[in-house]
Amino acid sequence: MLGLGNNLARGGVLSGFENTYSLDFDGIGDYIRFTEQTYSGAFTISLWVKGDFTTNYKELTGSSNSSVIRTSDVAGRAQIRVAGSTAGTILGISDDTWTHLVWVRNSSNVFTVYKNASSSGGSTVAGDFKIRDLGGDGDVDYWTGQLDEVAIWDAELDADAITAIYNSGTPIALDADDGNYDNSGDLQGWWRMEEGSGSTVADSSGNDLTATLNGDPTFSADVPPN
């Protein structure tokens, strides 16, 4: 029966989409690495996360000290940094509870952030955002927790699309337009963590950005919704 609840998507109709595994990081050298991606203009990044949001400055994504998504210096917060400046902080993240986090930058470099499809503003920050690692930066600042359904688009997704992706706490397929989600053509990377075993994670966007597991992250059958 595992995954059946995620198969019954949008009105109870079988969509053929299953979410069976997430990836679990122990905070001691665990991360996954893929070819570094650079975004100079509008972009959106979406993460399903569950874990430690009390420990300061642990990286959920990384490339360099100037391009990271990390926990903050205040418990229950995550922030994105672009070009060395904090661009958007998401508040009120509970430890050990599956939460959907999204950062959107538009063509004017203005950020909007979303927690479980609820939005708030962020700073206006220009400069490249680079992403290469998930769960740490391959050096220090490793995060403890689980990641699932990590995706990035080279476009500004609107609030209706974010709400559709959140789907009341149940992830959806991102490689095909459906209802208010009409950005499948902008999808640049989508790491589903569905392998269940092995040393790599596939990119389901069609762009072949296969990620390699480093340290000893493990696959977990614990997936959103909590």
Side-chain angles (χ1 to χ4, degrees):
M1 297 294 289
L2 186 62
L4 179 60
N6 291 3
N7 246 346
L8 296 174
R10 289 148 292 181
V13 178
L14 285 172
S15 69
F17 177 77
E18 287 191 43
N19 185 29
T20 306
Y21 295 105
S22 64
L23 204 60
D24 197 333
F25 302 83
D26 66 7
I28 308 172
D30 288 357
Y31 65 101
I32 63 176
R33 174 161 291 177
F34 46 90
T35 303
E36 184 170 85
Q37 304 298 296
T38 300
Y39 298 89
S40 300
F43 73 91
T44 301
I45 185 166
S46 167
L47 315 167
W48 290 86
V49 298
K50 178 180 179 179
D52 177 14
F53 284 91
T54 60
T55 305
N56 296 348
Y57 301 134
K58 298 299 180 181
E59 294 183 6
L60 284 74
T61 80
S63 177
S64 68
N65 288 333
S66 63
S67 293
V68 297
I69 295 175
R70 65 185 189 184
T71 60
S72 182
D73 60 340
V74 177
R77 298 185 183 185
Q79 60 186 199
I80 193 171
R81 284 175 61 83
V82 175
S85 299
T86 299
T89 301
I90 298 179
L91 310 178
I93 304 171
S94 299
D95 275 6
D96 298 321
T97 300
W98 279 110
T99 306
H100 185 226
L101 307 180
V102 177
W103 286 262
V104 180
R105 183 170 74 175
N106 67 17
S107 58
S108 299
N109 299 313
V110 177
F111 275 84
T112 305
V113 298
Y114 295 81
K115 182 187 75 173
N116 295 338
S118 178
S119 68
S120 60
S123 301
T124 301
V125 176
D128 292 347
F129 176 71
K130 298 179 180 182
I131 178 172
R132 178 190 62 195
D133 299 336
L134 300 173
D137 63 3
D139 185 19
V140 293
D141 303 328
Y142 301 105
W143 184 62
T144 303
Q146 293 164 250
L147 290 174
D148 198 17
E149 303 292 332
V150 178
I152 191 162
W153 298 258
D154 63 350
E156 172 195 359
L157 271 62
D158 62 24
D160 285 346
I162 301 300
T163 299
I165 294 167
Y166 174 58
N167 191 35
S168 300
T170 301
I172 66 167
L174 302 176
D175 57 350
D177 290 349
D178 192 343
N180 288 328
Y181 173 70
D182 56 1
N183 295 95
S184 64
D186 304 310
L187 188 64
Q188 299 300 299
W190 181 27
W191 297 276
R192 299 209 52 222
M193 324 302 182
E194 283 297 282
E195 285 71 12
S197 63
S199 60
T200 61
V201 170
D203 168 23
S204 296
S205 73
N207 291 320
D208 296 324
L209 300 175
T210 300
T212 302
L213 276 60
N214 294 266
D216 59 352
T218 57
F219 291 91
S220 170
D222 181 5
V223 297
N226 191 12

